[in-house]
Amino acid sequence: TDTVTVRLRVPRDIPNGSVAFTNARIVTLNRRQVVEGTLVVTGSRIACVGSCAVPAGARVFDAAGKTIVPGFIDVHSHNYREHRGIIPQRNSEGAIYLAYGITTTMDPSMWSQNIFPTGEMVDAGVIVGPRVYSTGDPLYAGDGSRQENFTSYAAAEAGIAKLKDWGAVSLKQYLQPRRDQRQWVAEAARKLGIQLTAENADLEFNVALLMDGHTGFEHPLSYLPLYRDFTEFMGRAQGTYSPTFMVGGAGPWNEDYWFQESDTWKDSKTRRFMSWLQFIPQTRRRVLVPETDFSFPWIAQGLADIIEAGGFGAIGAHGQHNGLGSHWEVWMAASALGPMGALEIASLHAARFIGKEQDLGSIEVGKLADFMILNSDPLANIRNTTDIQYVVKGGVVYDDDTLDEVWPRQRRYGTGQWVIPDALKQDDKPIRP
C-alpha cells in the first residue's frame, strides 16, 4: 500500500505579556514553603515568586487577603465520554473541571481518537478546559494493543509504541494475570519512557505489580486497615497509590457521603455547566447510612502511611461528579494527611504520577503557570479549596464562576468569536461558538 505523511503544526495558545498577583499568600508546595508577596507570570510560565518586581506593562491583580495554590491534577478523570469523535468547542465535561481549578486531567482509559485530538485542541486554545493527558486505549482493547495480541516482548513494545505516538504519557494495564505479559509491558514502558499504572486488585497482585516495575495503581485496596509490611514496601518502591476515594473500597461508595451530607444538586457552578440529566438524578438520591460506614478515613490513613514510608498519592474522582468531586477527593485525603498533605497529593504528587513534575505540581520559577486564587485559606480549612476567585492555566486568567477570560483577552466563555489558528481555518470566516 501507499503511505502518505501528513504534517500539521499549530501554535500553542500562549499569552503575550506578563501578569502579576501582588500581596498574596502563596502555598508553593515546593518543600512546603508558604511565602508572602508577588507571583509574576510571563507568557505561560512562572517568572518570579515572592519578592518580585512587577514588569513594566504587566497586568496587576491585587491579591491581598487571598491564597494562591497550584492547580489540581485529577489523575483519574473520565470526562470526555460523551462525544466519540465529535468534539464541541463548548465542552461542559471539560469546562467544569477548569472552573473548579482542576487545571490538568488524566484519563487512564479512553478511546485514543477521542482524547488526544481533544488535548491538542485545548493546547491550541480552540477548546477551553484543563490540560488533557491520557493513557489512550487501556491495555485490553483497541489500537492493536489488545493484550492477548502480546504474544512476545516485540509485540508488546510495538503496541505500546503506537500508544505513545498518539500521545500517551502512561499505560493502563487492566488486571493482567500473566506475569510474563505484565513484565513485557513494564519493560516496554521503561524503554519508551512512559509511566505504567494498573487496576488495583488483591494485595499479592499489587505487590507483584510493584516488583515488576509498575509506577502505581488506582482504586482503593479492599484491605482495611493497611499494615506496615505493605505500606513500607510500597513506600520503598516509591509507588503511587491513587485510591479514587469516590468509588470502590469497603462499604458504600464514598461519593454517597457527599450526596447525603449536602444538597449537591443546588450547587450553582455545577448547574451552570452540566446538563441536569448528568447530575440531578444521582445527586438528589439519599442513600442514608451512618457516617461510620464510609471507608474514606481508613483509606486516607493507609495512603498517609505509604507516603510516610516514601511513597506518593494522587486524587482521582473517576468522573463521578465533575469538578466538585476532585475537591471531595482532597477533603477526604485531608482526614489523615492534613490540609498541606492533601494539597500535595492533589498537585505535586499527581504531577509525578503522570511524568510531568518538571512542568506542573508546584509554584516554582520556570514551571507552567497553573494555579488558583482562593478567597480564603485552605490550610486553615481544607474546604476553602472551592472558594475560588480566579483560575490561571498557562498564564491565562479565568473567572472561576463563568470561565470568562479576564487576561490577556477579555471575552466571555459562552459568547463572541473565538480566533481559530490559521492552520486550522478552512476559509476566512472565524468559527463561532
Side-chain angles (χ1 to χ4, degrees), residues 134-178:
S134 182
T135 62
D137 297 85
L139 296 185
Y140 57 53
D143 277 359
S145 56
R146 187 182 295 274
Q147 284 200 116
E148 55 263 37
N149 294 333
F150 290 176
T151 55
S152 66
Y153 172 76
E157 184 178 317
I160 291 165
K162 185 173 183 179
L163 287 170
K164 184 180 180 181
D165 286 345
W166 267 111
V169 299
S170 182
L171 305 172
K172 179 63 177 279
Q173 192 170 45
Y174 268 86
L175 300 177
Q176 173 53 264
R178 282 184 50 181

Side-chain angles (χ1 to χ4, degrees), residues 12-15 59 89-90 121-129 393 396-399 402-421 430-431 433:
R12 293 180 182 273
D13 184 36
I14 298 176
R59 171 70 186 275
Q89 286 182 267
R90 294 293 175 274
M121 293 173 77
V122 169
D123 289 345
V126 178
I127 294 176
V128 175
K393 193 203 78 177
V396 178
V397 183
Y398 298 95
D399 178 274
T402 61
L403 274 191
D404 292 347
E405 185 176 328
V406 180
W407 190 87
R409 298 150 295 209
Q410 290 75 48
R411 58 187 184 183
R412 296 183 61 189
Y413 172 75
T415 62
Q417 292 184 340
W418 285 69
V419 177
I420 304 302
I431 298 175

Side-chain angles (χ1 to χ4, degrees), residues 386-399:
T386 54
D387 187 13
I388 308 168
Q389 182 179 22
Y390 297 117
V391 176
V392 180
K393 193 203 78 177
V396 178
V397 183
Y398 298 95
D399 178 274

Side-chain angles (χ1 to χ4, degrees), residues 210-380:
L210 292 167
M211 291 175 68
D212 288 341
H214 280 63
T215 50
F217 54 84
E218 299 153 64
H219 289 299
L221 286 154
S222 57
Y223 300 89
L224 293 174
L226 297 181
Y227 288 92
R228 183 174 177 179
D229 54 354
F230 176 76
T231 59
E232 188 161 335
F233 176 84
M234 188 165 181
R236 291 192 182 190
Q238 296 190 328
T240 299
Y241 180 23
S242 174
T244 60
F245 288 95
M246 294 276 282
V247 297
W253 282 15
N254 290 304
E255 65 174 337
D256 286 328
Y257 173 85
W258 302 101
F259 298 150
Q260 77 173 33
E261 189 256 6
S262 59
D263 292 339
T264 306
W265 73 87
K266 296 179 181 178
D267 181 74
S268 60
K269 192 182 297 184
T270 304
R271 291 164 70 98
R272 175 172 292 110
F273 285 99
M274 298 300 292
S275 163
W276 71 272
L277 282 171
Q278 288 185 284
F279 83 95
I280 286 291
Q282 66 268 26
T283 57
R284 285 185 58 148
R285 73 187 183 203
R286 293 290 191 179
V287 182
L288 297 176
V289 299
E291 290 188 11
T292 51
D293 281 14
F294 291 101
S295 61
F296 69 82
W298 289 97
I299 296 171
Q301 185 58 58
L303 177 59
D305 293 343
I306 288 168
I307 292 171
E308 185 179 4
F312 301 88
I315 64 166
H318 201 257
Q320 298 302 109
H321 192 71
N322 292 346
L324 191 55
S326 303
H327 290 266
W328 291 344
E329 289 270 312
V330 176
W331 301 351
M332 287 186 280
S335 65
L337 290 164
M340 181 66 82
L343 292 176
E344 284 180 327
I345 71 165
S347 301
L348 190 66
H349 292 198
R352 180 184 182 276
F353 189 45
I354 61 174
K356 297 297 179 182
E357 64 269 33
Q358 298 302 314
D359 285 324
L360 304 172
S362 60
I363 297 176
E364 299 182 62
V365 172
K367 287 196 173 185
L368 288 165
D370 290 7
F371 49 86
M372 292 181 266
I373 294 87
L374 304 178
N375 294 309
S376 45
D377 182 7
L379 297 181

